[in-house]
């Protein structure tokens, strides 16, 4: 038998290596593209107090608090802007704190007390912050307004509770509610219409920090 040339030897080695590796590769490729088996949604009961009323619903555990409010309770005052925690349109007050309801799951709030824009006041009896937004023209299209108002109400509570912000100079003193404090604390609520100056006026009005001339 004639000895193999170097070229023939390499060819034979590559062929046998391919024969061994191919089944494994094929399996790996199949595993990579195989769709994950469909799992049925997990449904859980959640019961919470919204604007003073107890609500109980069975929801897919992936349901956000925002979707629970809007789609299950028909409280559409709370708006869906970005659905990613970036615009503040979905702000509501949960157990005394403002949160982005698009960033939290409904089932995480069993037993919680939620206040939405519908719970702050009524058209006949506006909350002072709602009234101030109307008087100061603190909106144009109004899409961000429910979130702005819920946030503003919570901001005043945060200041009353002595909670500092990133611009509070003295962390040991009670924060003073100047324009910079308000701007910083409201910075998570975006307004595409740019009604910021009038929103600031409205909040200062309710806070009682607005100067006589109105300039801040
Ligand atoms: S919709 Fe929640 S932050 Fe934009
Ligand atoms: S009033 Fe239009 S986005 Fe704020």
């Amino acid at each position: 038998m004639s000895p193999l040339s170097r070229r023939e030897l390499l060819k034979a080695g590559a062929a046998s290596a391919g024969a061994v590796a191919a089944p494994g590769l094929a399996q790996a490729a199949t595993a990579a593209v195989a769709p994950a088996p469909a799992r049925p949604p997990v449904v859980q009961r959640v019961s919470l107090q919204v604007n003073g009323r107890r609500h109980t619903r069975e929801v897919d555990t992936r349901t956000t608090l925002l979707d629970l409010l809007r789609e299950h309770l028909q409280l559409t005052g709370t708006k869906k802007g970005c659905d990613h925690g970036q615009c503040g349109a979905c702000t509501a007050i949960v157990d005394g704190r403002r949160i982005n309801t698009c960033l939290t799951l409904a089932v995480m709030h069993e037993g919680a007390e939620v206040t939405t824009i519908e719970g702050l006041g009524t058209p006949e009896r506006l909350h002072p912050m709602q009234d101030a937004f109307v008087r100061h023209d603190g909106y144009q299209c109004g899409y961000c307004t429910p979130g702005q108002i819920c946030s503003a109400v919570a901001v005043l509570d945060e200041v009353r509770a002595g909670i500092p912000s990133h611009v509070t100079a003295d962390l040991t003193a009670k924060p003073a509610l100047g324009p910079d404090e308000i701007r910083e604390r409201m910075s998570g609520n975006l307004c595409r219409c740019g009604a910021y100056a009038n929103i600031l006026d409205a909040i200062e009005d309710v806070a009682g920090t607005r100067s006589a001339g109105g300039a801040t």
Side-chain angles (χ1 to χ4, degrees):
M1 197 160 71
S2 64
L4 287 173
S5 71
R6 185 167 178 271
R7 180 181 295 273
E8 286 166 335
L9 186 64
L10 285 174
K11 272 165 113 178
S16 61
V20 172
L25 284 174
Q27 274 177 358
T30 308
V33 297
R39 284 191 297 173
V42 179
V43 174
Q44 191 173 316
R45 175 176 297 199
V46 62
S47 183
L48 30 68
Q49 192 93 2
V50 183
N51 300 332
R53 272 190 61 196
R54 171 70 52 189
H55 295 274
T56 302
R57 292 289 185 280
E58 304 266 342
V59 294
D60 184 323
T61 49
R62 296 166 297 184
T63 306
T64 63
L65 180 57
L66 175 60
D67 285 341
L68 175 76
L69 293 171
R70 291 181 56 85
E71 310 299 335
H72 294 257
L73 305 184
Q74 282 70 53
L75 291 169
T76 53
T78 308
K79 301 301 183 207
K80 183 179 282 190
C82 63
D83 210 17
H84 280 82
Q86 295 175 353
C87 72
C90 64
T91 306
I93 302 169
V94 178
D95 291 332
R97 296 181 62 193
R98 56 187 169 143
I99 63 169
N100 289 336
T101 57
C102 71
L103 284 187
T104 187
L105 298 173
V107 293
M108 294 165 65
H109 297 283
E110 173 65 30
E113 291 208 9
V114 180
T115 303
T116 67
I117 190 71
E118 293 95 338
L120 284 179
T122 64
E124 300 75 34
R125 198 182 169 86
L126 294 176
H127 183 282
M129 192 63 79
Q130 291 171 315
D131 183 56
F133 267 64
V134 172
R135 283 187 290 103
H136 290 280
D137 238 356
Y139 52 87
Q140 289 179 39
C141 76
Y143 199 80
C144 72
T145 312
Q148 300 277 5
I149 292 177
C150 285
S151 222
V153 168
V155 160
L156 298 192
D157 288 342
E158 287 163 16
V159 171
R160 274 192 282 272
I163 299 171
S165 78
H166 287 296
V167 298
T168 306
D170 182 356
L171 296 182
T172 61
K174 193 171 166 137
L177 199 59
D180 288 344
E181 275 284 353
I182 296 176
R183 288 192 192 100
E184 165 60 24
R185 289 172 190 267
M186 293 294 294
S187 60
N189 289 83
L190 306 184
C191 175
R192 288 188 190 188
C193 298
Y196 295 113
N198 294 0
I199 290 170
L200 177 61
D201 287 348
I203 298 173
E204 287 188 313
D205 194 338
V206 179
T209 56
R210 194 168 147 75
S211 63
T216 53

